[in-house]
């Protein structure tokens, strides 16, 4: 039995309306995925800045990149740092940044000299090294000072930072990881 023309026209109109609604939802879904990714990135940044305030360290979390602290600390261990005003003592594991070097160094304090005016002079050494770190310091620098200290290790997670080492050792892995995340954002669907 044939449908009257006005009912058939309403059915076609409903079908086009549904198709337009589906097309309109796709960009909104993509935008939602991008906004979700942005929320994750900004949440991580806020967490990092919050840790900086709580620990008083410019870098509250670092990864051990070399074997100079073995057997105590292995490559890939994550260190959580703080930089409180309590005195540094021999045996503390500290992270320091020498001017002109890009990568911070994780070593143990061997000697501490604190002057009457509060200035600090510290000699460090890696547990796996045979001599102190004077060869790593800047030219004619015998000790490191408080301004070069990034923090003192409080807690460590064994091997939890290996992904950082892999990303440094194989730079192409960064692009694969970022590309994969972008791909999943683009094809991600909300149900």
């Amino acid at each position: 039995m044939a449908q009257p023309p006005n009912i058939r026209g309403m059915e076609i109109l409903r079908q086009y309306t549904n198709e337009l609604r589906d097309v309109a939802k796709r960009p909104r879904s993509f935008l939602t995925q991008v906004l979700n990714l942005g929320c994750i990135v900004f949440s991580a940044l806020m967490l990092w800045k919050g840790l900086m305030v709580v620990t008083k360290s410019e870098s509250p979390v670092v990864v051990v990149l070399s074997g100079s602290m073995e057997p105590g600390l292995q490559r890939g261990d994550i260190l959580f740092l703080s930089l409180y005003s309590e005195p540094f003592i021999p045996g503390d594991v500290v992270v320091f940044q020498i001017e002109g070097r890009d990568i911070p160094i994780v070593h143990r304090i061997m000697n501490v000299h604190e002057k009457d005016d509060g200035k600090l002079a510290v000699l460090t050494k890696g547990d796996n090294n045979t001599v102190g770190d004077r060869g790593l310091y800047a030219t004619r620098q015998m000790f490191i000072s408080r301004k070069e200290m990034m923090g003192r290790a409080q807690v460590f997670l064994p091997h939890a930072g290996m992904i950082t080492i892999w990303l440094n050792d194989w730079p192409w892995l960064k692009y694969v990881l970022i590309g994969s995340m972008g791909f999943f954002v683009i094809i991600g669907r909300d149900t």
Side-chain angles (χ1 to χ4, degrees):
M1 180 169 180
Q3 295 179 345
N6 61 351
I7 294 178
R8 178 143 170 75
M10 293 296 285
E11 188 176 311
I12 292 172
L13 182 62
R14 189 177 308 123
Q15 187 177 20
Y16 283 131
T17 305
N18 287 339
E19 285 181 23
L20 285 173
R21 193 175 302 132
D22 289 344
V23 168
K25 283 183 183 178
R26 281 184 227 143
R28 192 177 337 159
S29 175
F30 176 74
L31 182 62
T32 302
Q33 294 294 329
V34 170
L35 288 175
N36 285 339
L37 179 64
C39 285
I40 290 169
V41 169
F42 287 121
S43 296
L45 287 173
M46 287 188 303
L47 179 65
W48 182 261
K49 290 295 185 181
L51 280 173
M52 287 174 68
V53 169
V54 170
T55 63
K56 298 181 181 178
S57 175
E58 68 183 63
S59 183
V61 180
V62 295
V63 176
V64 177
L65 297 176
S66 74
S68 67
M69 285 298 290
E70 290 178 355
L73 296 172
Q74 307 287 322
R75 284 186 80 206
D77 290 352
I78 291 182
L79 302 177
F80 293 91
L81 308 178
S82 69
L83 192 58
Y84 295 109
S85 60
E86 55 194 51
F88 290 99
I89 58 172
D92 284 347
V93 174
V94 293
V95 178
F96 57 94
Q97 178 90 38
I98 300 297
E99 191 174 329
R101 290 184 176 249
D102 294 336
I103 299 173
I105 300 169
V106 179
H107 281 176
R108 191 174 306 277
I109 293 177
M110 299 307 294
N111 293 321
V112 178
H113 304 283
E114 190 162 358
K115 298 178 182 173
D116 293 334
D117 61 357
K119 287 188 179 178
L120 193 67
V122 176
L123 177 64
T124 57
K125 175 185 168 296
D127 291 352
N128 202 20
N129 296 347
T130 55
V131 296
D133 289 341
R134 287 191 174 129
L136 298 175
Y137 302 159
T139 306
R140 296 192 177 127
Q141 184 178 4
M142 300 302 285
F143 299 97
I144 58 172
S145 64
R146 192 177 302 274
K147 73 174 183 162
E148 290 144 340
M149 295 282 193
M150 294 176 66
R152 175 190 343 233
Q154 299 294 328
V155 178
F156 80 99
L157 291 174
H159 304 291
M162 284 306 292
I163 186 75
T164 302
I165 291 175
W166 296 334
L167 291 174
N168 282 334
D169 288 349
W170 300 301
W172 57 267
L173 192 59
K174 292 178 195 176
Y175 300 113
V176 169
L177 186 65
I178 291 170
S180 299
M181 288 184 345
F183 176 73
F184 285 116
V185 164
I186 290 170
I187 66 162
R189 305 229 188 266
D190 285 340
T191 54

